Amino acid sequence: MESKIKVKLIVIAFLIAVIITIMTAFGQAVECGGNKDITYAPGNLSVGQLFDLRYIDYNGGVGQQVWLNWTPAGLSIVSGNNPATLPDFGMGEGYYVWQMNSTSPGNYTIQVIVEYEANCTVTRNISIQGSVDPPNIQLNYPLLPANIVAKQNSLINLQISNIGTDTAYDVDGYTTLTAEGMIDNFFYTTIIPGDTQPRQFNVNTDYCGVQVLETNADYKDSAGYPYQPSHTNADLNILGSDLGIDIFTVSDNNVNNGELVTFNVTITNINRNTSINASNVVVRIYRGNLLVRTKNIGNVAVDSTVSASETWAAAGDGTYTMRAVVDSDQECSNWDNNKATLQMTITSGGGGGGGGGGGGGGGAPAPVCGNGICEWGETYYNCPEDCKAPAEEEEEEEGPVTCEGILIVESNDGMASLVIPDCSEIRLQGSKISNPQNTISIRAAGMMPTLPANMMLVRGYDFLPSGITFDPDAEVRIRYHEDEAKGRLFIIMYDESLGKWATLSSIDDKSVHEVSAKIGHFTKIGLATSYLPSLTGLAFLDDALYFINDNWWFIPLVIVVVFALWIITKILRK
């Protein structure tokens, strides 16, 4: 009897040891590999085709470092850090995405080494096929001009050629100039092998010196997979005048209203390595922001100095900053030396000459405003009832610039827009952009980086060109359809440096089905929702199914434990 009890106890101890061993093995699997994975997309890869490589830690791993290795050589990282730090996506699941490319066909072993677990390496084998009928878009600028004159239209020719053996689809590209941002964009549904699409556009800039002309184009193959973007660039030499004001004076800076004064200006066309002769040189004189006189000077050769004078009947009571600004048909904007200022006080003056009623003293009678005659001492500025406005004078609002106006740029699908305050300073790579409406574009994105598990993308956009900044911020607005208004809607922005999405402070205007947020620079931007589709209609069952889907090892573990407990129960009952 005692021997039977001993046998039962031995069997029970053995089963308990088996359970502990299995649970330990699963625990180790959970810690290394069992709850980690490497995935890639698309599924069929060819040489030169971009693909996403994704490392997933279903059990967390937030803040941990991972290293990406592969053998043999032939792969490269297009975007992403190595080593990489797993970002916090807020759902207890960490992952990181590298965008990869290949230069050689073959079988590759991908390894992700996890920093915080000894000997923890997650492995995935992938196969890169030799390109079968790949498209290959080549960009070229034939016959570029040796020099370009500032502020003049210069024609640029661009050739977009498919030198591959398969049709290129959705050829989507744009051209930028360093100081101007995007100056041209194009889209071709298809370009067949051996075909060249010629394109022409104008370059017009006032920033002199060497600027980089750059064209980029994305395209896909017949299966819809994106290829490595095509790229070309060239240096353009921009020439222009540099007119500097050496002297700006006035005959009297404390005068009565209506009194004639003479402004004197001396200017030089400074000799720089980008300088050329200036044509149609003009000097404009402003009282504050109000243009009061214009003086045409003609042409000024490089290294030449000229002087000019202009007379004005002083108008307006007060102390003003008088500004002289010189310009030409090809003036460079690099150097802020074409302006000069002086202070001038204008006061109301009485009639000249003799006493009342007399005519003695040789003085002229005081002008009478409102008699229909523009008399001496009267101007449009002090008596518009009698005097006409000079044709060349333009009214400009005085005082500081206000952010009352806006510029709106629409996306190509009409569902997103950017609202820019008219006082916002817009810069690209540090250079100020003067024509944002011709530079900025918003395109519906074909591919977006993977979103965190706790949100779902409604629609995404590329805001181009990358690197544009706004001060003050611009406002992005993304519209949605009524059937998309599920969960909380918000704007997200991709942080290229961190490789993660950031949620912006957003306003959802449900009356017009539009979500808005402030942005200070361009990147990938999307509209996301907190809504995740239900699998069963019951929240607790959905949570359980999502858990099982992410933790496949849980089901066999439960089966083994239940079976072992059943055997133990049977033994104890005998």
Side-chain angles (χ1 to χ4, degrees):
M1 186 68 180
E2 290 180 358
S3 62
K4 290 183 178 180
I5 294 175
K6 289 181 179 179
V7 171
K8 290 181 179 180
L9 291 174
I10 292 172
V11 172
I12 292 172
F14 174 75
L15 290 173
I16 292 174
V18 169
I19 293 173
I20 293 173
T21 301
I22 293 173
M23 293 182 70
T24 301
F26 273 114
Q28 290 176 346
V30 167
E31 287 301 313
C32 186
N35 69 326
K36 300 173 176 62
D37 198 6
I38 299 173
T39 64
Y40 62 94
N44 299 316
L45 301 177
S46 299
V47 169
Q49 177 186 345
L50 293 180
F51 64 96
D52 286 341
L53 188 72
R54 178 181 178 186
Y55 168 72
I56 312 169
D57 187 339
Y58 293 107
N59 234 28
V62 172
Q64 306 299 334
Q65 269 198 333
V66 294
W67 281 262
L68 176 64
N69 290 326
W70 58 84
T71 55
L75 301 182
S76 61
I77 297 175
V78 177
S79 65
N81 299 323
N82 194 26
T85 301
L86 298 188
D88 183 0
F89 290 99
M91 293 291 289
E93 173 183 307
Y95 63 84
Y96 194 85
V97 178
W98 294 273
Q99 190 175 57
M100 309 286 292
N101 194 16
S102 58
T103 57
S104 302
N107 296 317
Y108 292 86
T109 299
I110 306 291
Q111 292 183 330
V112 173
I113 303 170
V114 184
E115 170 200 42
Y116 65 101
E117 298 169 11
N119 302 317
C120 183
T121 301
V122 186
T123 302
R124 165 74 69 175
N125 293 318
I126 65 173
S127 179
I128 305 291
Q129 303 297 323
S131 297
V132 179
D133 297 331
N136 188 351
I137 294 297
Q138 185 178 69
L139 305 171
N140 181 44
Y141 306 120
L143 304 174
L144 273 178
N147 296 304
I148 288 177
V149 178
K151 297 170 64 174
Q152 310 296 313
N153 284 335
S154 296
L155 189 66
I156 302 295
N157 292 285
L158 170 66
Q159 290 181 340
I160 308 161
S161 305
N162 184 358
I163 62 173
T165 54
D166 190 16
T167 299
Y169 293 83
D170 296 341
V171 182
D172 191 3
Y174 61 93
T175 300
T176 60
L177 189 65
T178 305
E180 303 299 327
M182 189 173 70
I183 57 176
D184 182 57
N185 60 81
F186 54 86
F187 181 85
Y188 298 95
T189 304
T190 59
I191 300 180
I192 63 175
D195 190 21
T196 294
Q197 295 291 339
R199 187 168 186 83
Q200 292 183 328
F201 54 88
N202 282 314
V203 165
N204 191 316
T205 181
D206 60 4
Y207 196 88
C208 295
V210 176
Q211 292 196 47
V212 178
L213 182 71
E214 182 175 355
T215 301
N216 294 278
D218 296 315
Y219 61 100
K220 301 174 183 176
D221 63 12
S222 56
Y225 297 136
Y227 271 67
Q228 178 77 18
S230 296
H231 168 84
T232 190
N233 63 67
D235 290 342
L236 296 183
N237 192 31
I238 316 297
L239 305 180
S241 60
D242 177 24
L243 297 171
I245 296 181
D246 304 320
I247 300 172
F248 176 44
T249 61
V250 64
S251 57
D252 192 347
N253 61 1
N254 194 347
V255 297
N256 291 328
N257 207 320
E259 186 176 341
L260 292 177
V261 293
T262 300
F263 294 102
N264 300 292
V265 181
T266 300
I267 61 175
T268 299
N269 188 358
I270 300 171
N271 190 356
R272 302 183 186 273
N273 57 5
T274 58
S275 292
I276 59 176
N277 295 338
S279 60
N280 295 323
V281 177
V282 61
V283 176
R284 294 181 176 89
I285 299 175
Y286 297 83
R287 189 200 68 190
N289 289 328
L290 182 69
L291 177 66
V292 295
R293 301 305 294 168
T294 299
K295 182 69 174 181
N296 294 314
I297 295 181
N299 301 331
V300 179
V302 175
D303 224 7
S304 296
T305 299
V306 297
S307 298
S309 300
E310 185 67 12
T311 301
W312 174 57
D317 293 336
T319 298
Y320 299 97
T321 297
M322 307 300 296
R323 294 186 299 125
V325 180
V326 63
D327 199 3
S328 75
D329 284 348
Q330 52 282 114
E331 179 70 2
C332 302
S333 65
N334 307 44
W335 305 279
D336 192 22
N337 56 359
N338 66 329
K339 305 177 182 68
T341 61
L342 57 82
Q343 296 298 116
M344 185 173 180
T345 300
I346 305 172
T347 57
S348 297
V368 178
C369 185
N371 63 1
I373 302 172
C374 188
E375 302 172 280
W376 176 260
E378 290 182 339
T379 67
Y380 168 76
Y381 305 104
N382 60 18
C383 187
E385 295 91 336
D386 295 347
C387 301
K388 294 181 179 180
E392 75 274 12
E393 294 179 9
E394 303 172 4
E395 289 287 347
E396 295 185 17
E397 183 179 351
E398 293 194 41
V401 178
T402 58
C403 288
E404 295 179 354
I406 57 174
L407 169 67
I408 299 179
V409 179
E410 294 280 346
S411 63
N412 58 347
D413 66 354
M415 294 296 288
S417 60
L418 184 73
V419 180
I420 309 170
D422 62 356
C423 64
S424 183
E425 185 173 84
I426 308 171
R427 291 186 175 273
L428 177 64
Q429 299 176 357
S431 298
K432 190 173 181 179
I433 294 177
S434 57
N435 56 341
Q437 65 275 13
N438 297 326
T439 303
I440 292 171
S441 69
I442 307 171
R443 305 182 191 175
M447 293 182 64
M448 296 288 274
T450 307
L451 268 68
N454 63 339
M455 63 180 69
M456 186 170 64
L457 185 69
V458 177
R459 57 181 49 84
Y461 296 91
D462 287 313
F463 282 68
L464 300 171
S466 178
I468 275 190
T469 60
F470 302 93
D471 184 19
D473 291 348
E475 181 179 84
V476 60
R477 299 174 181 175
I478 303 180
R479 290 177 282 280
Y480 57 88
H481 301 298
E482 188 170 358
D483 59 356
E484 295 171 330
K486 299 175 181 178
R488 182 174 64 89
L489 293 167
F490 46 90
I491 304 290
I492 56 175
M493 171 182 281
Y494 191 67
D495 189 325
E496 298 281 354
S497 62
L498 298 178
K500 62 182 290 186
W501 289 95
T503 300
L504 304 183
S505 178
S506 308
I507 298 174
D508 183 3
D509 188 343
K510 293 181 170 55
S511 64
V512 294
H513 294 161
E514 185 177 78
V515 181
S516 61
K518 299 289 187 181
I519 62 169
H521 66 279
F522 271 1
T523 179
K524 293 182 182 292
I525 295 175
L527 176 64
T529 176
S530 60
Y531 169 79
L532 298 175
S534 175
L535 301 176
T536 66
L538 299 173
F540 74 94
L541 284 180
D542 287 342
D543 292 341
L545 289 174
Y546 278 122
F547 175 80
I548 293 172
N549 181 68
D550 292 338
N551 302 275
W552 58 269
W553 49 266
F554 186 73
I555 292 178
L557 177 62
V558 170
I559 293 172
V560 170
V561 171
V562 170
F563 181 70
L565 291 175
W566 178 77
I567 293 176
I568 292 173
T569 302
K570 286 288 188 181
I571 292 174
L572 292 176
R573 285 181 177 178
K574 291 183 179 181

